[in-house]
Amino acid sequence: MSLISRDLKHLWHPCSQMKDYESFPPLEVIQAQGCYLTLNNGQKIIDVISSWWCKSFGHNHPILKKAIHNQLEKFEHVILANTTNHTIVELSEALATLQPGLDKVMYASDGSCAVEIAMKMSLHSRVIQPQPEKKHFAALSHGYHGETLATLSVSDLGLYKAPYQSACLNNVTFIDHIPYVSGTDDPLWHDCSLHWQKAQLQLEAVKHQLTAILIEPIVQGAGGMLIYSADFLKRLNAWCKANDIHLIADEIMTGLGRTGRPLACQHANISPDFICLSKGLTGGVLPMSAVLTHNEIYQLFYDDYETGKAFMHSHTHSGNALAAAVALATQKLLNSPGFYESTQEKGQYMRELLEDTAQQTGKLKNIRSIGMVAAADLIVPDNDKTRWGYLIYQEAIKNGALLRPLGNTLYWLPPLITTKEELKKIASITTQAIEAILS
């Protein structure tokens, strides 16, 4: 029996309609190196989406592998409750420097759980103070924060959420009037006064009930790689501080270099109450997530055990030593001289290549980019149910690129180490795929 037959007999793949694999089987990967995946037929394909947005330094990076090996010689995992070690302390010290003031770190295993930790901390803090009326959340329309029930509740994507709507939290307001932009040169990037006025009216109606607002800062990933105004984020942050409402920044995709800065929040020069990190935290090598917060939140929970104020959230592998070792090595790579400047330069080149692709094919609109994220929407007939993005994905695989569009939104989100020559190859394959399917 072939590997694919064995796979389809037992394996339920994530985020997939399993019937699709009958006509387009899973790709059998036998090796991965740098930006490339090697398939069982010897073909090499470029990982244009960083394997779900996490492989910041590509695959099989020698420094990250060495970090795991070195830690493995000591120990692989020990319960983090009531123990500590040099690796987790050094990582925590490094993460505490990302955003001044956010110097308390709690670890979990994945992004959804990091967001849930922040949500729970916010709610729990209101119980302690006490502020019982503050139990409502708000989030941006078109946002996405994870697959657990609480994170689905504050997400606004029906494809993922609709079947579970009856079990989701009902105390969530979705903020409309988001000022979407094409990039940092868009006038709305610097001034979104009219959009903010409308959003503020919506928020004022529920402000006394709100405990926190959740955002994907600057870029909404699963919603279609939508980029919005830094001015909007700055105004929202100021409004939250003026009204004693926590701001939770879901930097799971946007954080750690993806938008050309250590944190996407830094585009608006804001400091939220919580920052959630995952994906690129370990360079995509091992599962790990972290929640950063400030001392004011920390002190609310700091008391004698008998008071019941302790934050009792726990994960078996919280602070896993192997993950911590590779995360610490990732931080050092991110902080190497000239890294962010290089990322910004390559991001600009990506934008130019995507504009060229749009011009050559005549089939792309709404081009947008920031850092090493670039996206555009396919020009297809209205109400056309054909899965054009899926067809282009299949065509691109034949030519050597793993694209995996979001519906009819085509995007590039390659490893941050991708060279300009490789970016040019991505553009060429994308152009060929679009022309083959849509011309």
Side-chain angles (χ1 to χ4, degrees):
M1 185 182 292
S2 70
L3 182 68
I4 297 302
S5 298
R6 291 162 58 197
D7 173 295
L8 297 180
K9 184 176 180 180
H10 299 292
L11 184 55
W12 197 334
H13 288 261
C15 202
S16 300
Q17 170 49 258
M18 291 302 297
K19 190 174 182 181
D20 285 345
Y21 292 125
E22 293 179 10
S23 57
F24 197 78
L27 306 174
E28 186 178 336
V29 178
I30 61 170
Q31 191 175 9
Q33 183 70 46
C35 299
Y36 292 88
L37 307 177
T38 302
L39 306 185
N40 62 317
N41 62 3
Q43 182 188 17
K44 290 189 175 183
I45 60 174
I46 303 176
D47 189 352
V48 185
I49 60 166
S50 298
S51 285
W52 249 336
W53 320 341
C54 68
K55 302 296 295 187
S56 307
F57 293 94
H59 300 270
N60 218 8
H61 195 286
I63 291 176
L64 302 185
K65 286 174 65 178
K66 184 178 180 181
I68 295 174
H69 181 268
N70 290 345
Q71 180 61 45
L72 193 57
E73 291 296 310
K74 302 171 188 175
F75 62 91
E76 76 294 337
H77 177 66
V78 174
I79 182 175
L80 191 58
N82 305 108
T83 77
T84 191
N85 59 79
H86 281 285
T87 307
I88 198 67
V89 169
E90 289 179 24
L91 174 60
S92 302
E93 289 171 340
L95 295 180
T97 67
L98 282 173
Q99 182 63 44
L102 300 189
D103 60 354
K104 306 298 182 187
V105 189
M106 175 168 272
Y107 295 97
S109 302
D110 58 75
S112 296
C113 290
V115 175
E116 288 226 8
I117 285 173
M119 293 174 68
K120 286 176 64 177
M121 281 185 176
S122 180
L123 281 173
H124 196 159
S125 75
R126 306 303 184 180
V127 173
I128 292 171
Q129 291 186 78
Q131 295 174 307
E133 73 284 359
K134 285 185 168 290
K135 53 188 177 183
H136 197 90
F137 289 99
L140 302 186
S141 58
H142 306 117
Y144 172 85
H145 298 284
E147 300 287 350
T148 54
L149 282 176
T151 56
L152 275 179
S153 299
V154 292
S155 299
D156 187 37
L157 297 180
L159 176 65
Y160 305 99
K161 181 177 179 178
Y164 321 106
Q165 186 68 58
S166 62
C168 286
L169 304 175
N170 58 14
N171 57 338
V172 181
T173 295
F174 290 101
I175 305 167
D176 300 318
H177 313 293
I178 312 300
Y180 293 113
V181 300
S182 59
T184 59
D185 293 331
D186 192 307
L188 280 176
W189 176 263
H190 302 286
D191 183 3
C192 68
S193 305
L194 295 178
H195 288 78
W196 172 248
Q197 288 173 14
K198 294 176 182 178
Q200 186 177 6
L201 283 175
Q202 188 181 5
L203 287 168
E204 288 288 335
V206 294
K207 69 179 181 181
H208 298 298
Q209 303 167 265
L210 288 177
T211 182
I213 297 177
L214 293 94
I215 56 165
E216 294 162 275
I218 300 301
V219 185
Q220 296 179 298
M225 296 298 162
L226 302 172
I227 302 170
Y228 64 90
S229 165
D231 184 50
F232 183 86
L233 187 51
K234 188 178 298 184
R235 291 171 186 267
L236 181 62
N237 178 69
W239 186 87
C240 285
K241 292 192 183 306
N243 290 282
D244 185 25
I245 295 163
H246 298 144
L247 186 63
I248 300 173
D250 176 351
E251 292 256 14
I252 289 161
M253 185 273 280
T254 60
L256 306 175
R258 179 52 60 184
T259 68
R261 302 275 183 95
L263 297 169
C265 284
Q266 293 165 353
H267 288 283
N269 194 30
I270 67 164
S271 185
D273 298 286
F274 301 92
I275 288 177
C276 303
L277 301 172
S278 191
K279 292 193 182 290
L281 179 59
T282 66
V285 177
L286 287 173
M288 187 181 219
S289 60
V291 180
L292 313 183
T293 192
H294 50 72
N295 191 55
E296 186 177 340
I297 294 291
Y298 178 82
Q299 287 299 325
L300 287 172
F301 295 88
Y302 194 92
D303 208 335
D304 294 328
Y305 183 83
E306 291 74 16
T307 64
K309 293 180 180 179
F311 188 68
M312 300 301 285
H313 190 103
S314 59
H315 286 249
T316 302
H317 285 274
S318 178
N320 174 267
L322 295 179
V326 74
L328 185 57
T330 299
Q331 284 299 305
K332 292 175 181 177
L333 289 174
L334 287 166
N335 291 324
S336 59
F339 179 79
Y340 287 103
E341 291 80 0
S342 172
T343 301
Q344 292 165 12
E345 181 185 350
K346 287 189 286 189
Q348 180 57 39
Y349 186 57
M350 280 174 59
R351 170 74 180 231
E352 294 167 4
L353 289 171
L354 189 55
E355 289 174 343
D356 290 345
T357 298
Q359 184 175 7
Q360 184 170 337
T361 64
K363 296 295 183 180
L364 294 175
K365 63 181 180 179
N366 301 333
I367 296 170
R368 50 208 183 262
S369 71
I370 188 167
M372 289 189 70
V373 181
D377 302 318
L378 296 171
I379 299 174
V380 294
D382 292 340
N383 302 316
D384 188 339
K385 300 300 183 183
T386 305
R387 297 167 68 190
W388 295 110
Y390 182 60
L391 295 174
I392 288 171
Y393 154 74
Q394 294 179 62
E395 184 68 24
I397 291 293
K398 297 177 189 176
N399 295 320
L402 177 62
L403 284 178
R404 208 172 189 273
L406 294 160
N408 287 329
T409 293
L410 187 150
Y411 71 94
W412 298 337
L413 202 149
L416 303 178
I417 60 166
T418 307
T419 66
K420 286 188 174 181
E421 194 59 37
E422 287 165 336
L423 292 174
K424 192 173 181 180
K425 187 175 180 180
I426 290 169
S428 175
I429 294 172
T430 302
T431 300
Q432 292 171 28
I434 293 172
E435 290 179 336
I437 298 300
L438 290 178
S439 62

